[in-house]
């Protein structure tokens, strides 16, 4: 499975944008970039995914580098409820299992 | 549309007993995955099942652990003769298919404590 590298932790303030980076230098052409998050004491929750183009949904935006070796999850206006561990995962088409790394623990300050 | 349901939410067993964890996927989903999260660690894939078939059990310990997803009813993760090291949160996820674009929807988890 292709690997991803994320910072162990990040901190931001409420109502400010947050940019969560992910490096995936060994990504192949068929790997999708997925982001999940896990709030305290809960199961993981899907956030967003993309292949080549930048993506937006109601939760976040995903900016993918032109060479696809890195991506950034953008929370446009963080709230206290966004405090969670964020996982960047590569998934090849047709793959079944999610391979979770250590993720980035995001702390939001009021 | 109800989400993925897991029960029980908390389960306490003594060493040597059996633990049965149940997972009901989202309506219309025929693919179920089980993951385990040990204390202070990340989630690890255990097994992937479709109705009545085990597709990938590469993450499942070879002994004491088994999983099924019968034609009718929930998926069951069964742990025989539990040991303290089995204490963890067990999460089930479901998806409608296995394309790379498909989201996996997770349940709230079952927290197993082995005394």
């Amino acid at each position: 499975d292709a690997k991803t590298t994320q910072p162990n932790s990040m901190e931001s303030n409420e109502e400010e944008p947050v940019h969560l980076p992910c490096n995936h230098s060994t990504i192949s052409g068929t790997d999708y970039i997925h982001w999940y998050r896990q709030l305290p004491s809960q199961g993981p929750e899907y956030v967003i995914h993309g292949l080549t183009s930048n993506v937006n949904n109601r939760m976040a935006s995903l900016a993918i580098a032109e060479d696809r070796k890195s991506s950034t999850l953008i929370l446009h206006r963080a709230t206290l409820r966004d405090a969670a561990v964020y996982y960047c995962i590569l998934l090849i088409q047709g793959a079944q299992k999610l391979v979770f790394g250590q993720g980035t623990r995001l702390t939001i300050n009021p | 549309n109800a989400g993925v349901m897991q029960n029980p939410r908390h389960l306490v067993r003594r060493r040597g007993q059996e633990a049965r964890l149940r997972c009901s996927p989202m309506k219309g989903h025929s693919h179920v995955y089980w993951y385990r999260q040990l204390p202070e660690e990340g989630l690890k894939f255990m097994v992937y099942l479709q109705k009545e078939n085990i597709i990938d059990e590469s993450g499942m310990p070879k002994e004491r652990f088994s999983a099924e997803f019968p034609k009718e009813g929930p998926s069951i993760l069964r742990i025989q003769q539990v040991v303290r090291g089995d204490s963890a949160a067990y999460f089930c996820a479901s998806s409608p298919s296995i394309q790379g674009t498909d989201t996996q929807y997770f349940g709230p988890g079952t927290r197993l404590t082995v005394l």
Side-chain angles (χ1 to χ4, degrees), chain B residues 27-95:
Chain B
K27 189 177 180 181
H29 288 192
S30 57
H31 301 258
V32 165
Y33 314 79
W34 285 93
Y35 295 83
R36 177 166 69 172
Q37 187 169 34
L38 294 167
E40 303 304 319
E41 292 190 19
L43 291 101
K44 302 280 189 232
F45 167 81
M46 297 181 75
V47 62
Y48 158 52
L49 311 100
Q50 293 181 36
K51 283 285 187 182
E52 301 184 276
N53 290 306
I54 295 175
I55 307 302
D56 180 354
E57 56 182 348
S58 59
M60 193 106 94
K62 294 283 187 284
E63 297 177 354
R64 303 187 297 109
F65 285 72
S66 62
E68 62 177 15
F69 188 16
K71 189 176 179 182
E72 301 291 338
S75 175
I76 306 285
L77 180 68
R78 182 181 176 208
I79 312 172
Q80 295 178 291
Q81 299 176 313
V82 296
V83 300
R84 288 219 173 106
D86 297 332
S87 295
Y90 292 82
F91 293 97
C92 166
S94 72
S95 72

Side-chain angles (χ1 to χ4, degrees), chain A residues 32 34 36 38 40-46 49 87 91-102 105, chain B residues 9 33 35 37 40-45 48 55-56 58 91 98-104 106-108 111:
Chain A
Y32 284 80
H34 285 244
Y36 282 76
Q38 187 175 21
S41 301
Q42 295 188 30
E45 174 187 32
Y46 167 81
H49 77 272
Y87 298 98
L91 199 65
I92 64 172
Q93 188 158 8
Q96 300 92 20
K97 61 188 180 188
L98 296 173
V99 180
F100 289 85
Q102 290 303 110
R105 184 174 298 276
Chain B
R9 295 291 306 277
Y33 314 79
Y35 295 83
Q37 187 169 34
E40 303 304 319
E41 292 190 19
L43 291 101
K44 302 280 189 232
F45 167 81
Y48 158 52
I55 307 302
D56 180 354
S58 59
F91 293 97
I98 57 166
Q99 295 182 35
T101 54
D102 275 343
T103 298
Q104 290 188 19
F106 284 79
R111 278 150 184 83

Side-chain angles (χ1 to χ4, degrees), chain A:
Chain A
D1 300 307
K3 288 207 166 190
T4 63
T5 305
Q6 300 178 251
N8 288 335
S9 62
M10 289 184 66
E11 201 169 324
S12 185
N13 297 320
E14 202 175 5
E15 298 189 4
E16 290 184 357
V18 180
H19 291 233
L20 295 161
C22 180
N23 287 322
H24 28 78
S25 58
T26 59
I27 192 171
S28 71
T30 53
D31 287 346
Y32 284 80
I33 302 160
H34 285 244
W35 283 81
Y36 282 76
R37 71 180 185 180
Q38 187 175 21
L39 278 66
S41 301
Q42 295 188 30
E45 174 187 32
Y46 167 81
V47 178
I48 201 167
H49 77 272
L51 184 61
T52 55
S53 304
N54 294 344
V55 185
N56 299 297
N57 66 21
R58 64 175 180 80
M59 288 181 72
S61 296
L62 177 60
I64 301 172
E66 199 169 329
D67 62 5
R68 301 211 323 127
K69 293 185 186 298
S70 65
S71 60
T72 302
L73 179 71
I74 303 165
L75 307 178
H76 294 285
R77 201 159 169 252
T79 70
L80 295 177
R81 289 175 294 178
D82 290 321
V85 179
Y86 286 78
Y87 298 98
C88 169
I89 300 169
L90 298 183
L91 199 65
I92 64 172
Q93 188 158 8
Q96 300 92 20
K97 61 188 180 188
L98 296 173
V99 180
F100 289 85
Q102 290 303 110
T104 296
R105 184 174 298 276
L106 176 64
T107 301
I108 303 296
N109 299 315

